[in-house]
Amino acid sequence: MKQSLFKIIKNEPLTSTVYRMILEGDTSAITRSGQFLNIKLDGLFLRRPISVCDYDDNTITILYKVVGKGTEGMSKLSPASILDILTGLGNGYDTTKSGNHPLLIGGGVGVPPMFRLAKDLIAEGKNPKVILGFNTKDETFYIEEFQHLGAEVLIATADGSIGTKGFVTDIVKELCDYTYFYTCGPEPMLKALSDCTTTSGQLSFEERMGCGFGACMGCSCETKYGNKRICKDGPVLEKEEIIW
Amino acid sequence: MKQSLFKIIKNEPLTSTVYRMILEGDTSAITRSGQFLNIKLDGLFLRRPISVCDYDDNTITILYKVVGKGTEGMSKLSPASILDILTGLGNGYDTTKSGNHPLLIGGGVGVPPMFRLAKDLIAEGKNPKVILGFNTKDETFYIEEFQHLGAEVLIATADGSIGTKGFVTDIVKELCDYTYFYTCGPEPMLKALSDCTTTSGQLSFEERMGCGFGACMGCSCETKYGNKRICKDGPVLEKEEIIW
Amino acid sequence: MVNTKVTLSGITLDNPIIPASGTFGYGYEFAELYDINILGSFSFKGTTKEPRFGNPTPRIAECTGGMINSVGLQNPGIEKVIQEELPKMKKVFHKPVIANISGFSVEEYVYCCQKIDQEDQVGIIEVNVSCPNVHHGGMSFGTSPEVAAEVTRAVKAVTKKPVYIKLSPNVTDIASIAKTCEEAGADGISLINTLMGMRIDLKTGKPVIANKMGGFSGSAIFPVAVRMVYQVYEAVNLPIIGMGGVSSPEDVLEMMLAGATAVQVGAANLVEPYICKNIIEKLPEVMKKYGITDLNDIIGGAHK
Amino acid sequence: MVNTKVTLSGITLDNPIIPASGTFGYGYEFAELYDINILGSFSFKGTTKEPRFGNPTPRIAECTGGMINSVGLQNPGIEKVIQEELPKMKKVFHKPVIANISGFSVEEYVYCCQKIDQEDQVGIIEVNVSCPNVHHGGMSFGTSPEVAAEVTRAVKAVTKKPVYIKLSPNVTDIASIAKTCEEAGADGISLINTLMGMRIDLKTGKPVIANKMGGFSGSAIFPVAVRMVYQVYEAVNLPIIGMGGVSSPEDVLEMMLAGATAVQVGAANLVEPYICKNIIEKLPEVMKKYGITDLNDIIGGAHK
Ligand SMILES: Cc1cc2nc3c(=O)[nH]c(=O)nc-3n(C[C@H](O)[C@H](O)[C@H](O)COP(=O)(O)OP(=O)(O)OC[C@H]3O[C@@H](n4cnc5c(N)ncnc54)[C@H](O)[C@@H]3O)c2cc1C
Ligand SMILES: Cc1cc2nc3c(=O)[nH]c(=O)nc-3n(C[C@H](O)[C@H](O)[C@H](O)COP(=O)(O)OP(=O)(O)OC[C@H]3O[C@@H](n4cnc5c(N)ncnc54)[C@H](O)[C@@H]3O)c2cc1C
Ligand SMILES: Cc1cc2nc3c(=O)[nH]c(=O)nc-3n(C[C@H](O)[C@H](O)[C@H](O)COP(=O)(O)O)c2cc1C
Ligand SMILES: Cc1cc2nc3c(=O)[nH]c(=O)nc-3n(C[C@H](O)[C@H](O)[C@H](O)COP(=O)(O)O)c2cc1C
Ligand code: FES
Ligand code: FES
């Protein structure tokens, strides 16, 4: 973990509620896809956890949905503003277990961490298949970005306005040739995926956090291997250890 | 009273601790010298009361000393920043009682309201004599500005580094040809002036304020004419009504 | 269209927004800013039997998200309030007002309530039991269930107006105090009054407030207020006027979900003089955002 | 040069800064960020007889100037703390630590304190009496002077280490509780624990925290904490560890003026992980600003 200041380079809407922010600063604490940031915002006591969507030596990309005070405030920040951020939080995804044909399944604001993960897997010479779930066509984002990585991308929307009508699980159930799966999204989706997948996999969880770095026990959950802190021992858990 | 937004046009140090800020906005609620503003600052619950030093149709000049969180924050605001301000607060000075040769006595951050008062009196064709008290030469400000108004200006400094060595009262005691007096400054100075002046006069008081517009009774004082609220029935009180 | 009307003991308010006692004076200062008849009602400055100057100054201190006040119930006394303030108030506010009554003995409460009972303008009597009881070593009436109940009974005996007991939050068990007030005949409960707080000036090394301690209020105390409204709602079957840190339409909804039928806004008026107007104007929009068509549907909703 | 050393029951701390129990884990997370040996001491996570998972999630809610937590004393139990955590802690922190002990019956407190009494690493036992007492209908030990005194006596009988009773602020009369603890043999008083608070999620209409209520802390509660430290300082002749919202060197000085000999920093660690380091580094400069050369000179200074 590192605490440092970042400069906003870009902050733009991708849909009516989802924004992309590009931050410039010290990214050295980030070691894996699936990790997250914890962002200090003016007037709010708690930091706000947001997944790393992508990063390089001196920039981080995050995608966030406006759902409350904090994210609304973020959406109004102008470029050149400075943010105090904790980086390198969470365990992140372990790509060594992926096999050659992993599935990457992102739902809603669970899509962002899949991006860097896909990039890493492709860089490791693997062939990830990406499945993204949204409510409706207007709410989709980053589909092209995933395609540009060279990944095969399948879309599910609840209303069928683009891709398969239904849930990501409707797509996953039809697939059988995957070696592993990685996912991030709302808990009901994670549970459904855990049930319908035929391989092992890693699932990223959300919880209301106090600190985000393992100090407060605000985010604990019970697993088959003992109590874990979503922020420090997670957010990524293995399918086998989860107690639903 | 009016609540409105002001844009900072200028914010510059006059001494190591005293700043001048020029604000642009709706000044229509200001009716008299000696009135004050109540300024909302980020991160602070209570507004901060600051006297109007001067104003015209669309700007206000204030002079403030950095003494704590609020004024320190103000000193760091850059031009173009927007401030939420209550204007037109307090009774202000009544110039109708001045006679032809009023004394205006300002001590430290009590100097600012004297400026507009001097300007008004001169415009009314009177001959105010201005006495300003400071600790030391380095802490003086606005002497030239008063001179430019065409007023006679006398200075007292505690260490004698400029003007008379001593307090404003040391100067006032030597004078006998004045018709009235107006003053603003630390309470011990007000008391000493009340004792040593030979005419009637108006004195401006400070008190920790909750609202600044008469709603909370946070700033009450007892006078010979009943209880008064410094913010609404003051800050200017007449010498005769004050209970020391 | 949404419904913002709520009813307190038979008195229907256009909306649940009520400026809290001590932060709205007698309404005039605010009437200069906006037509205060848009308010649900308002609770005027705490009134006592005798005129009071109140505490020495400084009476005000700054806190994170709030302030401390130690005004000490400055007011001209019940007689003058009735003779001078009520008629003036009537000119700027045409709805029933809430009379906030304080006392330092049971007799003083009774005296004031008996007087105010005659005033048509007054819709509800709000009895502030946070004052120190001179007959009990200065302990506040509101810190003992028995004493709070005694005040309630005594006051109820002399007025036909609805009596709301305004509770102090500086207690171990707010629910049991509310309960004994209910048993003693209270028509409603107002809460919370200020939390006892203190600030020390580093420059002088002494308390900022002349009286050392004072009443802490403002958004900082909101979570304590919501908790206590929630607890009292479980304990009594009376309407609750919730307050403590309310400063947005969202806060109003949260208080009502906790169990409040109406909501008072205190310290926020002092720093945002238009706050009640703003809340009233934005409330319908925020209700819609959360799918609320009638405020009455959400009162105590968090308990379901 | 200024002196920041203070002494708690014979234990001299390099400075009065102590991370508060539950906000610093066992120190490891912070030891990754800075050398935690700069701290005066630290109070480790509340420990109980049995291992506890704690409360269901969500356990955390946001407030103006603070947060609510309902961790529910998650900890691996006293045995594991002694066998596993203390030895690991020793590697990152070489000074005496404060053992924060909780229980749900007097026997549990006694059990833990007896065990922890054997550990050289522990300088002070901090007995958290804010927990619900299973034998008294779940009322917290800290809300009754008698019960708090009973815990104090029982614990004192089984340990030679200094025992600090950590008081709950959710009481009518903190001073009398502190006083009975003193009479029962306490060596010091820690205060305040969290204020009980609640937030309601407007989207669901239900409390944010799974357990409904939780402990409210952070800068918002500072004025309440200062007031209580001040009151307890007047009531007892014991060293006080003051806490509640401390997040700057100025806050430290204010707490000490109110009567604290040392100061704990809680929730602020969670959002500003370097806060204790920053406070320790800036403290001498801020002391100079206010003309303080020795911190011991200002303890209780506001009472003079
Ligand atoms: C590890 C992790 C990674 C995340 N990554 C992303 C991301 O990449 N993009 C994105 O848009 N969102 C992400 N989130 C969710 C994001 O943290 C919340 O949406 C955000 O904190 C809401 O803040 P707010 O002030 O806007 O909302 P609030 O006003 O605080 O609350 C609005 C709603 O947001 C939810 N929420 C609030 N705080 C949290 C919290 N700390 N954790 C989880 N949910 C919360 C609650 O359901 C609440 O009802 C992530 C959360 C976690 C824990
Ligand atoms: C009617 C009026 C007019 C004023 N005009 C001016 C002016 O023209 N220029 C100027 O520099 N200052 C003026 N002041 C004083 C100014 O309001 C305070 O210096 C300022 O509020 C301090 O805020 P802070 O946050 O910097 O200090 P804080 O950190 O709040 O406190 C620092 C010190 O400032 C004093 N102080 C704090 N709040 C107030 C308050 N509300 N009223 C009075 N004193 C306070 C206290 O002694 C305190 O110890 C005026 C005050 C009043 C009441
Ligand atoms: C300046 C001031 C004066 C107050 N005077 C009274 C009073 O006279 N009677 C009373 O019952 N409550 C009084 N209160 C308490 C408020 O009515 C209210 O209960 C409390 O401030 C909590 O609400 P808030 O956080 O919105 O301010 C006063 C509060 C303030 C800030
Ligand atoms: C997440 C969290 C966990 C806590 N756990 C404990 C605990 O185990 N034992 C205890 O005595 N106090 C506990 N507390 C209370 C703190 O030690 C402290 O008394 C309180 O938070 C007030 O200080 P603050 O405002 O600086 O946070 C906890 C507080 C927080 C925020
Ligand atoms: S959020 Fe604090 S331990 Fe996870
Ligand atoms: S500051 Fe509120 S009445 Fe003067």
Side-chain angles (χ1 to χ4, degrees):
Chain A
M1 169 169 79
K2 208 162 223 172
Q3 179 178 16
S4 53
L5 298 178
F6 282 78
K7 186 158 104 183
I8 299 178
I9 298 295
K10 217 179 211 175
N11 191 21
E12 56 184 4
L14 299 181
T15 73
S16 63
T17 55
V18 174
Y19 285 69
R20 166 166 55 192
M21 187 182 277
I22 303 182
L23 295 155
E24 189 182 73
D26 179 352
T27 65
S28 61
I30 309 175
T31 55
R32 271 187 179 184
S33 67
Q35 288 184 322
F36 64 97
L37 312 177
N38 215 356
I39 307 180
K40 175 99 198 119
L41 297 165
D42 270 0
L44 296 178
F45 189 81
L46 296 173
R47 291 171 181 265
R48 293 299 192 264
I50 301 286
S51 302
V52 172
C53 170
D54 198 7
Y55 64 101
D56 60 26
D57 283 353
N58 56 357
T59 70
I60 303 176
T61 302
I62 58 174
L63 309 183
Y64 62 93
K65 182 169 174 175
V66 173
V67 298
K69 271 193 192 177
T71 44
E72 192 178 318
M74 280 173 67
S75 73
K76 288 178 179 153
L77 293 172
S78 37
S81 307
I82 302 294
L83 286 175
D84 168 350
I85 301 181
L86 304 179
T87 52
L89 303 178
N91 55 356
Y93 293 108
D94 179 355
T95 57
T96 63
K97 305 193 174 172
S98 71
N100 270 330
H101 298 284
L103 284 188
L104 275 53
I105 310 135
V109 292
V111 168
M114 294 299 127
F115 185 74
R116 176 63 185 219
L117 175 60
K119 210 167 164 178
D120 285 349
L121 289 166
I122 289 168
E124 291 172 13
K126 292 154 185 171
N127 294 300
K129 186 174 287 185
V130 177
I131 304 164
L132 306 179
F134 300 97
N135 283 317
T136 183
K137 191 176 175 197
D138 287 348
E139 296 182 10
T140 61
F141 55 87
Y142 254 55
I143 298 175
E144 283 181 26
E145 282 82 352
F146 276 96
Q147 287 166 341
H148 286 157
L149 292 179
E152 183 184 347
V153 183
L154 302 171
I155 309 294
T157 51
D159 66 357
S161 49
I162 178 174
T164 304
K165 180 175 160 81
F167 300 108
V168 288
T169 42
D170 295 321
I171 299 181
V172 173
K173 279 179 199 150
E174 302 299 312
L175 302 173
C176 54
D177 57 344
Y178 55 94
T179 50
Y180 199 74
F181 76 96
Y182 296 94
T183 181
C184 182
E187 206 166 303
M189 180 188 105
L190 301 187
K191 167 91 176 74
L193 281 170
S194 175
D195 289 345
C196 80
T197 46
T198 54
T199 65
S200 289
Q202 293 171 26
L203 302 87
S204 181
F205 284 78
E206 275 196 20
E207 189 48 76
R208 288 203 177 231
M209 289 180 178
C211 63
F213 54 89
C216 73
M217 304 289 153
C219 64
S220 295
C221 72
E222 290 176 283
T223 75
K224 292 183 186 148
Y225 311 151
N227 299 335
K228 292 205 167 178
R229 295 159 299 180
I230 293 291
C231 70
K232 179 95 179 178
D233 313 311
V236 177
L237 299 181
E238 303 216 359
K239 177 173 161 178
E240 288 69 27
E241 65 183 316
I242 300 161
I243 304 173
W244 288 105
Chain B
M1 170 168 78
K2 209 162 221 172
Q3 179 179 17
S4 54
L5 298 179
F6 283 78
K7 187 159 102 183
I8 299 178
I9 299 296
K10 217 179 213 174
N11 191 20
E12 56 185 3
L14 300 181
T15 74
S16 64
T17 55
V18 175
Y19 285 69
R20 166 166 54 192
M21 186 182 277
I22 303 181
L23 295 155
E24 189 182 74
D26 180 352
T27 65
S28 60
I30 309 176
T31 55
R32 271 186 179 185
S33 68
Q35 288 185 323
F36 65 97
L37 313 177
N38 217 355
I39 307 180
K40 175 100 198 118
L41 297 166
D42 269 0
L44 296 178
F45 189 80
L46 295 173
R47 290 172 182 264
R48 294 300 192 263
I50 301 285
S51 302
V52 172
C53 169
D54 198 7
Y55 65 100
D56 61 24
D57 284 353
N58 57 359
T59 70
I60 303 174
T61 302
I62 57 174
L63 309 184
Y64 62 93
K65 182 169 175 176
V66 173
V67 298
K69 270 193 192 177
T71 45
E72 191 178 319
M74 279 173 67
S75 73
K76 289 181 178 149
L77 292 172
S78 36
S81 306
I82 302 295
L83 287 175
D84 169 350
I85 301 182
L86 305 180
T87 53
L89 303 179
N91 55 356
Y93 292 108
D94 179 355
T95 56
T96 63
K97 305 194 174 171
S98 71
N100 270 332
H101 298 283
L103 284 188
L104 275 55
I105 309 135
V109 292
V111 168
M114 293 300 127
F115 185 74
R116 176 62 184 218
L117 175 60
K119 210 168 165 178
D120 285 350
L121 289 166
I122 289 168
E124 291 172 14
K126 292 154 187 170
N127 293 300
K129 187 174 287 185
V130 177
I131 304 165
L132 306 179
F134 299 98
N135 284 316
T136 183
K137 190 176 176 196
D138 287 350
E139 295 182 10
T140 62
F141 56 87
Y142 254 54
I143 298 175
E144 282 181 28
E145 282 80 353
F146 276 96
Q147 287 166 341
H148 285 157
L149 292 180
E152 184 185 348
V153 183
L154 301 170
I155 310 294
T157 51
D159 66 356
S161 49
I162 180 174
T164 305
K165 180 177 159 81
F167 299 110
V168 289
T169 43
D170 296 321
I171 299 180
V172 173
K173 279 179 201 152
E174 303 299 312
L175 302 174
C176 54
D177 57 344
Y178 56 94
T179 50
Y180 199 75
F181 77 97
Y182 296 95
T183 182
C184 182
E187 207 167 300
M189 181 188 105
L190 301 187
K191 168 92 176 74
L193 281 170
S194 176
D195 290 342
C196 80
T197 46
T198 54
T199 66
S200 287
Q202 293 172 27
L203 302 86
S204 181
F205 284 77
E206 274 197 19
E207 190 46 77
R208 288 201 177 233
M209 290 180 178
C211 63
F213 54 88
C216 73
M217 304 289 151
C219 64
S220 296
C221 71
E222 290 175 283
T223 76
K224 292 183 188 149
Y225 310 152
N227 300 333
K228 292 206 166 179
R229 295 159 299 181
I230 294 291
C231 70
K232 179 95 178 177
D233 312 310
V236 178
L237 299 181
E238 305 216 357
K239 179 174 159 179
E240 287 68 28
E241 66 182 317
I242 299 161
I243 303 172
W244 290 104
Chain C
M1 276 299 294
V2 295
N3 178 38
T4 62
K5 285 196 167 57
V6 295
T7 304
L8 289 174
S9 306
I11 303 166
T12 297
L13 314 181
D14 289 333
N15 60 64
I17 311 304
I18 304 172
S21 179
T23 64
F24 212 71
Y26 300 106
Y28 327 132
E29 287 77 17
F30 294 88
E32 283 174 32
L33 298 177
Y34 62 90
D35 178 2
I36 63 174
N37 288 294
I38 61 168
L39 298 167
S41 178
F42 87 86
S43 177
F44 61 77
K45 178 66 198 163
T47 304
T48 53
K49 187 181 175 201
E50 309 294 339
R52 286 175 59 84
F53 172 67
N55 292 330
T57 55
R59 296 176 174 183
I60 304 285
E62 163 102 11
C63 307
T64 300
M67 60 182 278
I68 295 174
N69 89 81
S70 135
V71 169
L73 294 168
Q74 180 176 351
N75 81 96
I78 184 79
E79 253 84 46
K80 236 180 172 169
V81 165
I82 290 175
Q83 282 156 31
E84 297 178 13
E85 302 297 344
L86 283 183
K88 281 201 275 172
M89 229 187 285
K90 188 150 202 160
K91 290 188 195 139
V92 292
F93 191 68
H94 315 130
K95 300 176 175 180
V97 291
I98 299 179
N100 184 277
I101 301 295
S102 291
F104 300 88
S105 67
V106 175
E107 296 68 44
E108 287 184 26
Y109 283 108
V110 167
Y111 183 90
C112 290
C113 292
Q114 212 158 11
K115 292 269 172 191
I116 216 81
D117 182 59
Q118 311 301 315
E119 302 303 316
D120 286 348
Q121 231 174 306
V122 172
I124 289 175
I125 301 181
E126 183 174 62
V127 177
N128 170 16
V129 291
S130 298
C131 320
N133 182 345
V134 289
H135 298 313
H136 279 74
M139 276 289 280
S140 142
F141 291 91
T143 55
S144 148
E146 293 74 35
V147 183
E150 191 191 336
V151 175
T152 311
R153 261 189 307 272
V155 160
K156 275 297 287 179
V158 298
T159 179
K160 279 172 298 297
K161 292 195 194 290
V163 171
Y164 281 53
I165 306 297
K166 180 163 172 183
L167 301 182
S168 161
N170 303 295
V171 298
T172 308
D173 184 1
I174 192 105
S176 73
I177 296 173
K179 185 109 204 80
T180 53
C181 291
E182 177 178 40
E183 286 157 7
D187 299 288
I189 304 287
S190 281
L191 78 164
I192 59 175
N193 213 310
T194 52
L195 282 171
M196 248 206 294
M198 181 190 253
R199 291 303 309 273
I200 296 167
D201 190 329
L202 295 183
K203 286 184 188 156
T204 62
K206 298 286 166 293
V208 172
I209 299 277
N211 235 18
K212 295 177 183 169
M213 292 166 205
F216 174 34
S217 70
S219 24
I221 72 167
F222 184 68
V224 176
V226 171
R227 183 261 293 184
M228 289 190 164
V229 168
Y230 187 95
Q231 289 178 313
V232 168
Y233 184 87
E234 304 239 300
V236 302
N237 269 311
L238 297 176
I240 294 169
I241 305 180
M243 77 197 81
V246 172
S247 54
S248 70
E250 286 82 1
D251 293 347
V252 171
L253 298 181
E254 198 168 330
M255 272 291 179
M256 296 187 76
L257 284 163
T261 296
V263 171
Q264 291 186 8
V265 178
N269 287 301
L270 307 179
V271 290
E272 291 296 342
Y274 288 96
I275 192 109
C276 287
K277 181 172 193 277
N278 288 343
I279 292 176
I280 291 167
E281 285 171 0
K282 285 193 198 136
L283 190 57
E285 179 191 321
V286 177
M287 286 170 64
K288 274 184 221 148
K289 175 170 168 194
Y290 293 105
I292 303 161
T293 49
D294 186 338
L295 280 183
N296 295 283
D297 295 342
I298 68 162
I299 298 167
H303 297 261
K304 280 166 205 155
Chain D
M1 275 299 295
V2 294
N3 179 38
T4 61
K5 285 196 166 59
V6 294
T7 304
L8 290 174
S9 307
I11 302 166
T12 297
L13 314 181
D14 290 332
N15 59 64
I17 312 305
I18 305 172
S21 179
T23 64
F24 212 72
Y26 300 105
Y28 327 133
E29 286 78 16
F30 294 88
E32 283 175 32
L33 299 176
Y34 62 90
D35 179 2
I36 63 174
N37 288 293
I38 62 168
L39 298 167
S41 177
F42 87 86
S43 177
F44 62 75
K45 178 66 199 161
T47 304
T48 53
K49 185 180 175 201
E50 309 293 339
R52 286 176 58 84
F53 171 67
N55 292 330
T57 55
R59 295 176 173 183
I60 304 285
E62 164 102 11
C63 307
T64 301
M67 61 181 277
I68 296 175
N69 90 80
S70 134
V71 168
L73 294 169
Q74 179 176 352
N75 81 96
I78 184 78
E79 253 84 44
K80 236 182 170 166
V81 166
I82 290 175
Q83 283 156 32
E84 296 178 13
E85 301 297 344
L86 283 183
K88 280 199 275 172
M89 229 186 287
K90 188 148 200 160
K91 289 190 194 136
V92 291
F93 191 67
H94 315 130
K95 299 175 175 180
V97 292
I98 299 179
N100 184 278
I101 300 296
S102 291
F104 301 88
S105 67
V106 175
E107 296 67 44
E108 286 184 26
Y109 284 107
V110 167
Y111 182 91
C112 290
C113 292
Q114 211 157 13
K115 291 269 172 189
I116 216 81
D117 181 59
Q118 311 302 313
E119 302 302 317
D120 287 347
Q121 230 174 307
V122 173
I124 289 174
I125 301 181
E126 182 174 63
V127 176
N128 169 15
V129 292
S130 299
C131 320
N133 182 345
V134 289
H135 297 314
H136 280 74
M139 277 288 279
S140 143
F141 291 92
T143 55
S144 149
E146 294 74 37
V147 183
E150 191 191 337
V151 175
T152 310
R153 262 189 306 274
V155 160
K156 276 297 287 181
V158 298
T159 179
K160 278 171 300 294
K161 293 194 194 290
V163 171
Y164 280 53
I165 306 298
K166 180 163 173 183
L167 300 182
S168 162
N170 303 295
V171 297
T172 308
D173 184 2
I174 192 105
S176 72
I177 295 173
K179 186 107 204 81
T180 53
C181 290
E182 177 179 40
E183 286 157 6
D187 299 288
I189 303 288
S190 282
L191 78 163
I192 59 176
N193 212 310
T194 52
L195 282 170
M196 249 206 296
M198 181 190 254
R199 293 301 311 272
I200 295 166
D201 189 330
L202 295 182
K203 285 184 188 156
T204 62
K206 297 286 166 296
V208 172
I209 299 277
N211 236 20
K212 295 180 184 167
M213 292 163 205
F216 174 33
S217 70
S219 25
I221 72 167
F222 184 67
V224 176
V226 171
R227 183 261 293 185
M228 289 191 164
V229 168
Y230 187 94
Q231 289 177 313
V232 167
Y233 183 87
E234 304 238 300
V236 302
N237 270 310
L238 297 176
I240 295 169
I241 304 180
M243 76 196 84
V246 172
S247 54
S248 70
E250 287 82 1
D251 293 347
V252 170
L253 299 182
E254 197 167 330
M255 271 291 178
M256 294 186 77
L257 283 162
T261 296
V263 170
Q264 291 186 8
V265 177
N269 286 301
L270 306 180
V271 290
E272 292 297 341
Y274 287 97
I275 191 106
C276 287
K277 181 172 192 279
N278 289 342
I279 292 177
I280 291 168
E281 285 171 358
K282 285 192 198 136
L283 189 57
E285 179 191 318
V286 177
M287 285 170 65
K288 275 183 219 152
K289 175 170 169 195
Y290 293 104
I292 303 162
T293 49
D294 186 339
L295 279 183
N296 295 282
D297 296 342
I298 68 163
I299 298 167
H303 297 262
K304 281 167 204 156

